[in-house]
Amino acid sequence: MSGSAAGPSCLVTNDWICGEYLRTRSQELVDATVQHIGITAVSVAIGLLIAFPLALLARHRRGAAGPVLGLTTVLYTVPSLAMFALLTPVFGVSAAVVVTGLVLYSLTILVRNILAGLQAVPAEVREAARGMGYGPARLLFEVELPLALPAVVAGLRIATVSTVAMTTVGSVVGYGGLGNLIASGMEGFFKAEVLTASVLCVLLALAADVLLMGLQRLLTPWTRAQARAKSPARRGARTAKAVG
């Protein structure tokens, strides 16, 4: 069907929702989405690798806790545009600028949650493990870290979702994933490009959160068992109170 018979193209009329844009720019959207996922995944993974030893340092050395938490908090207060500008002379105009900035931002959330999770492990559990002959490394990885997983994964979820959002700012150096499309769409007021890239960014954040929530449930099956065990007890307490 010709354009004259079917009416003007949604690209010509610059509609917000445009199926023709999805068809003609599908490869561009896929490339931007892949770049967005790659930058986010690498940034969060490196952030986790750095945050874990920092949290251990803050936990085992009281004098280090204040400086570690203070430094990561200060880094988080630096505006993203300023952060990328400060990193550009070091890394040049590259994806490393964006990844490094996002890693530094993620440390605030990850260090605090890992530290909180480890500190929440009951002292009697540690003592019991030591009494069974657990050394420091085995105690950490087989007892403390599994019990701290809910707090760790909660921090990982927050850090991942915020990184998905902040990756878009990388468009200032040309490595913003879907942010590149949002920026170019805003510059030319290309409605379909702005809306489509924004929706994809939101969907990525939701998908990442759901996946990490599922990972938490998979790695901590005992939390579901505890919830099921508490549920009948609570119902019984309510019934007894009502009868009384």
Side-chain angles (χ1 to χ4, degrees), residues 17-34:
I17 300 175
C18 182
E20 189 174 350
Y21 170 75
L22 295 176
R23 290 192 299 272
T24 58
R25 305 288 185 89
S26 59
Q27 189 58 51
E28 185 179 46
L29 289 168
V30 170
D31 292 342
T33 303
V34 169

Side-chain angles (χ1 to χ4, degrees), residues 3-163:
S4 58
S9 164
C10 58
L11 290 175
V12 175
T13 56
N14 196 23
D15 295 336
W16 285 105
I17 300 175
C18 182
E20 189 174 350
Y21 170 75
L22 295 176
R23 290 192 299 272
T24 58
R25 305 288 185 89
S26 59
Q27 189 58 51
E28 185 179 46
L29 289 168
V30 170
D31 292 342
T33 303
V34 169
Q35 184 185 79
H36 205 110
I37 293 173
I39 290 175
T40 299
V42 171
S43 301
V44 174
I46 296 175
L48 189 60
L49 290 175
I50 296 174
F52 187 66
L54 286 177
L56 292 180
L57 176 64
R59 178 193 169 203
H60 289 293
R61 295 181 180 272
R62 292 185 178 180
V68 167
L69 296 177
L71 177 61
T72 56
T73 301
V74 168
L75 289 172
Y76 198 79
T77 63
V78 179
S80 54
L81 290 177
M83 177 72 80
F84 293 157
L86 291 171
L87 293 172
T88 300
V90 180
F91 297 99
V93 180
S94 66
V97 170
V98 183
V99 171
T100 304
L102 295 175
V103 167
L104 294 177
Y105 285 130
S106 71
L107 292 180
T108 303
I109 301 167
L110 293 174
V111 171
R112 288 181 180 274
N113 277 70
I114 294 172
L115 182 59
L118 293 174
Q119 290 177 334
V121 176
E124 57 270 22
V125 172
R126 294 193 184 95
E127 291 302 321
R130 291 191 186 100
M132 296 172 62
Y134 281 61
R138 189 181 177 195
L139 174 64
L140 173 63
F141 289 104
E142 294 186 19
V143 178
E144 294 178 317
L145 194 54
L147 292 177
L149 269 179
V152 174
V153 177
L156 188 60
R157 288 171 60 190
I158 297 171
T160 301
V161 170
S162 64
T163 301

